[in-house]
Amino acid sequence: MTDRAAFYEEIGARNLAPLWEVMAGLITPEPVSACRPALWRWDEVRDSVMQSGGIISAEEAERRVLVLENPGLRGTSRITTSLYAGLQLVLPGEVAPAHRHSQSALRFVVEGEGAYTAVDGERTTMAEGDFVITPHWTWHDHGNDSDRPMIWLDGLDIPMVQFFDASFAERLGESRQPLSRPEGDSLARYGQGLLPVDQEPGSLASPV
């Protein structure tokens, strides 16, 4: 064993490592990413999404989602190094149970009309083309009272939150959260881009 190898072994036992052995890979002349270009065509993946409805229920799965996984990041549930994305299916009569988590989420409705997302006591009915946000640590559940399947794209900052070791979640213990505001309440209060004069901030997230 050379003096250098012996030194590396000695410092390794003390949880130390030589930067000069890895610096070229840590600080590169230009950006380097394991991500690879990928394209998910709706007419190719829709059948798989629908097929998942016969494999597992929304209640059992908690969230019945097919993850859009970057081919360069297989096994990590990531579409990029910083973002998660997936296609969620809720069939007629189903409810994806209420929970909350430290990640923020957005939903872009791809197909269907009449299902809802309830966030912190207010229900929002969804239709194709709608964009719905779920701020971090807000109770939310999804239900489908229509007669058609509902599919939307979920986007979450899961990898970023995991990077800071700040990922955690809580289940409500009930499928549907209690509603405390009528549907359309936040749009009526804040939809003009102005806050009511007596508004007291309840969180750092948008109240809409």
Side-chain angles (χ1 to χ4, degrees):
M1 181 181 295
T2 65
D3 290 344
R4 186 176 295 181
F7 175 70
Y8 291 168
E9 185 174 328
E10 179 183 342
I11 65 173
R14 298 180 184 134
N15 300 313
L16 300 170
L19 173 63
W20 57 86
E21 289 289 334
V22 296
M23 188 169 182
L26 289 177
I27 306 173
T28 55
E30 57 187 43
V32 175
S33 176
C35 291
R36 287 163 37 196
L39 177 65
W40 291 266
R41 297 184 183 277
W42 178 241
D43 57 353
E44 295 174 354
V45 301
R46 185 186 183 278
D47 286 346
S48 298
V49 174
M50 293 304 300
Q51 187 178 357
S52 72
I55 300 297
I56 190 169
S57 69
E59 183 177 8
E60 183 184 357
E62 189 163 355
R63 295 295 184 265
R64 188 202 290 116
V65 179
L66 294 187
V67 180
L68 304 182
E69 197 166 59
N70 189 285
L73 302 171
R74 295 303 300 271
T76 65
S77 299
R78 300 179 181 191
I79 195 167
T80 71
T81 51
S82 59
L83 293 173
Y84 157 99
L87 291 167
Q88 182 164 173
L89 169 67
V90 179
L91 294 172
E94 288 188 323
V95 176
H99 67 195
R100 61 181 178 175
H101 41 66
S102 54
Q103 297 84 0
S104 300
L106 58 84
R107 335 270 178 200
F108 181 77
V109 181
V110 180
E111 181 179 308
E113 182 174 357
Y116 68 85
T117 289
V119 179
D120 267 358
E122 182 179 351
R123 181 178 292 188
T124 298
T125 301
M126 302 187 293
E128 188 173 318
D130 281 350
F131 177 79
V132 179
I133 58 172
T134 306
H136 70 279
W137 207 237
T138 54
W139 292 111
H140 57 283
D141 54 90
H142 312 291
N144 188 352
D145 296 329
S146 78
D147 58 0
R148 298 175 54 193
M150 287 287 294
I151 304 172
W152 59 84
L153 175 71
D154 284 326
L156 288 88
D157 53 359
I158 292 174
M160 295 178 64
V161 174
Q162 286 179 328
F163 177 81
F164 292 105
D165 292 334
S167 180
F168 53 90
E170 181 181 7
R171 291 165 181 80
L172 183 62
E174 301 177 25
S175 293
R176 302 176 192 254
Q177 64 180 286
L179 299 179
S180 58
R181 291 173 289 165
E183 185 165 346
D185 181 78
S186 65
L187 183 62
R189 290 177 188 271
Y190 314 112
Q192 303 304 313
L194 299 173
L195 290 176
V197 293
D198 59 348
Q199 171 73 18
E200 294 185 8
S203 74
L204 296 176
S206 166
V208 180

